[in-house]
Amino acid sequence: MAPVLPLVLPLQPRIRLAQGLWLCSWLLALASSLTLLCSGHLLIQLWHLGTFLSPSCPFPALPRTALAAGALALGTGLGGAGASRASLDAARYPAWRGVLGPLLVAGTAVGGGLLVLALGLALGLPGSLEDGLEEGLGTALVHYKDTEVPGHCHAKRLVDELQLKHQCCGRHGYKDWFGFQWVSSRYLDPGDQDVADRIQSNVEGLYLIDGVPFSCCNPHSPRPCLQSRLSDPHAHPLFDPRQPNLNLWAQGCHGVLLGYLQGLAGTLGSLLAMTFLLQALVLLGLRYLQTALEGLGGVIDAEGDTQGYLFPAGLKDMLKTSWLQGGVAPKPAPQEAAPGQALPQEGPPEDQ
């Protein structure tokens, strides 16, 4: 049975393989550490922005999976660095002989599987952000006025912090506030005729105005901020309401958050791809180094050539051997009698 992908490794190539593995293992540890930092940062950002994301949006699964994949890749990198360093010393290598097998299996099956899953999520899940942010931001704007309603009393503060920090206004622009009641009912005088007319003119009984909260104002503007009567061309004679420069943030929060989170997901996807390639190189190198040293009794500087391989036999032979060792081999058929030779017949013994 011929081994799979054999590679002849003389003395100098074996030493260079161990040294290169040591370097690649530390590069894998560095890449996986960056993956952990990026996925942790994304998870923290989603924790802060969770109010503006729909609960049914699956995007938060990406940083959680990337955290697990990065942690296993970091362990693989540190283990590979220790094993490759120990392989250069015949006295230190025997302690690693029993570790390499489980390390290779765990790194390939569990670590590789998690990296592939995280890469798939990094490619597929950012598209779900658009609908998730659309629904989440709409819900947050609806509850902006509910400062005394349990469960929504922090919505106003969170929306104001979002608009000030990310320099955005409304869901897609400042005019989105015209369709929501953002003034709390506790500040409205039911006896005011203007308030009563605005509430009665709305089908849902909401107090709608053509104004925006203070958090939509640009604090760096040299002119006073226009917050009310923005659609009235005669309310502010010195300013043209048809111009976009109303001292308000021009961008909507949906586009700003979408670009921000998708940018973080793209960076995380690049780090995951780099980590996956480095882990594949480290695992392949460790397997060749392990099989080569097994042929030399664990002594890397032994004289003569040795052979490294991925599997000791071909896939067909490995499956056949496993099948036979499992006790399911077909039983041999009973030997047939020779032609012309009668089979012995059993009968009662003859009387003496």
Side-chain angles (χ1 to χ4, degrees), residues 23-39 65-78 107-108 110-119 122 266-284:
L23 178 60
C24 286
S25 297
W26 280 113
L27 290 177
L28 173 60
L30 176 61
S32 56
S33 299
L34 294 176
T35 301
L36 287 174
L37 290 176
C38 186
S39 55
T65 307
L67 274 175
L72 284 175
L74 178 60
T76 303
L78 295 178
T108 304
V110 183
L114 280 176
L115 280 173
V116 171
L117 178 59
L119 273 173
T267 303
L268 180 58
S270 302
L271 290 174
L272 286 170
M274 184 186 306
T275 303
F276 177 78
L277 292 177
L278 287 172
Q279 180 159 320
L281 288 176
V282 169
L283 291 175
L284 284 174

Side-chain angles (χ1 to χ4, degrees), residues 272-345:
L272 286 170
M274 184 186 306
T275 303
F276 177 78
L277 292 177
L278 287 172
Q279 180 159 320
L281 288 176
V282 169
L283 291 175
L284 284 174
L286 283 176
R287 178 56 178 169
Y288 275 106
L289 184 64
Q290 178 197 30
T291 52
L293 292 182
E294 288 299 325
L296 297 173
V299 182
I300 194 172
D301 56 353
E303 296 295 333
D305 298 343
T306 186
Q307 190 180 62
Y309 50 81
L310 291 182
F311 302 105
L315 180 60
K316 181 178 179 181
D317 295 332
M318 289 177 61
L319 293 176
K320 183 178 179 181
T321 302
S322 301
W323 182 268
L324 293 177
Q325 290 178 352
V328 293
K331 296 180 180 180
Q335 296 182 355
E336 297 182 357
Q341 180 179 359
L343 292 174
Q345 297 180 354

Side-chain angles (χ1 to χ4, degrees), residues 3-326:
V4 178
L5 296 178
L7 181 63
V8 178
L9 293 172
L11 176 59
Q12 290 303 319
R14 290 197 301 269
I15 296 177
R16 285 196 295 268
L17 174 62
Q19 294 172 343
L21 266 177
W22 181 83
L23 178 60
C24 286
S25 297
W26 280 113
L27 290 177
L28 173 60
L30 176 61
S32 56
S33 299
L34 294 176
T35 301
L36 287 174
L37 290 176
C38 186
S39 55
H41 176 66
L42 179 56
L43 193 62
I44 292 174
Q45 294 303 309
L46 289 177
W47 182 69
H48 288 295
L49 300 174
T51 306
F52 312 109
L53 198 62
S54 171
S56 60
C57 183
F59 184 76
L62 170 60
R64 297 190 183 102
T65 307
L67 274 175
L72 284 175
L74 178 60
T76 303
L78 295 178
S84 57
R85 180 67 179 271
S87 66
L88 297 172
D89 187 354
R92 297 174 56 189
Y93 181 72
W96 284 88
R97 294 180 72 175
V99 178
L100 273 178
L103 177 65
L104 289 170
V105 173
T108 304
V110 183
L114 280 176
L115 280 173
V116 171
L117 178 59
L119 273 173
L121 294 178
L123 293 175
L125 284 187
S128 66
L129 273 175
E130 187 170 359
D131 294 334
L133 288 172
E134 186 77 18
E135 180 180 349
L137 284 170
T139 304
L141 296 184
V142 168
H143 294 294
Y144 183 87
K145 67 181 187 305
D146 300 331
T147 55
E148 296 180 349
V149 178
H152 303 293
C153 55
H154 300 294
K156 180 182 183 302
R157 176 180 59 83
L158 293 175
V159 172
D160 288 336
E161 290 177 353
L162 172 71
Q163 295 188 143
L164 288 172
K165 179 181 179 181
H166 293 274
Q167 300 183 358
C168 59
C169 181
R171 185 162 48 179
H172 300 287
Y174 71 92
K175 291 185 178 180
D176 289 337
W177 286 106
F178 299 173
F180 297 98
Q181 178 182 339
W182 56 271
V183 179
S184 177
S185 300
R186 63 182 296 189
Y187 300 112
L188 300 178
D189 183 9
D192 191 330
Q193 188 60 37
D194 179 66
V195 173
D197 291 342
R198 287 182 180 274
I199 294 177
Q200 292 176 1
S201 64
N202 184 265
V203 177
E204 299 179 359
L206 301 177
Y207 180 76
L208 303 180
I209 58 175
D210 53 348
V212 296
F214 77 95
S215 55
C216 282
C217 296
N218 183 358
H220 305 292
S221 175
R223 300 184 300 180
C225 181
L226 304 180
Q227 290 183 250
S228 61
R229 304 176 65 184
L230 296 177
S231 59
D232 187 356
H234 304 291
H236 308 282
L238 299 180
F239 301 99
D240 186 359
R242 294 171 297 179
Q243 299 296 325
N245 186 15
L246 296 174
N247 300 51
L248 305 176
W249 302 122
Q251 291 181 302
C253 294
H254 181 274
V256 173
L257 291 182
L258 183 63
Y260 176 66
L261 293 177
Q262 285 185 344
L264 291 179
T267 303
L268 180 58
S270 302
L271 290 174
L272 286 170
M274 184 186 306
T275 303
F276 177 78
L277 292 177
L278 287 172
Q279 180 159 320
L281 288 176
V282 169
L283 291 175
L284 284 174
L286 283 176
R287 178 56 178 169
Y288 275 106
L289 184 64
Q290 178 197 30
T291 52
L293 292 182
E294 288 299 325
L296 297 173
V299 182
I300 194 172
D301 56 353
E303 296 295 333
D305 298 343
T306 186
Q307 190 180 62
Y309 50 81
L310 291 182
F311 302 105
L315 180 60
K316 181 178 179 181
D317 295 332
M318 289 177 61
L319 293 176
K320 183 178 179 181
T321 302
S322 301
W323 182 268
L324 293 177
Q325 290 178 352

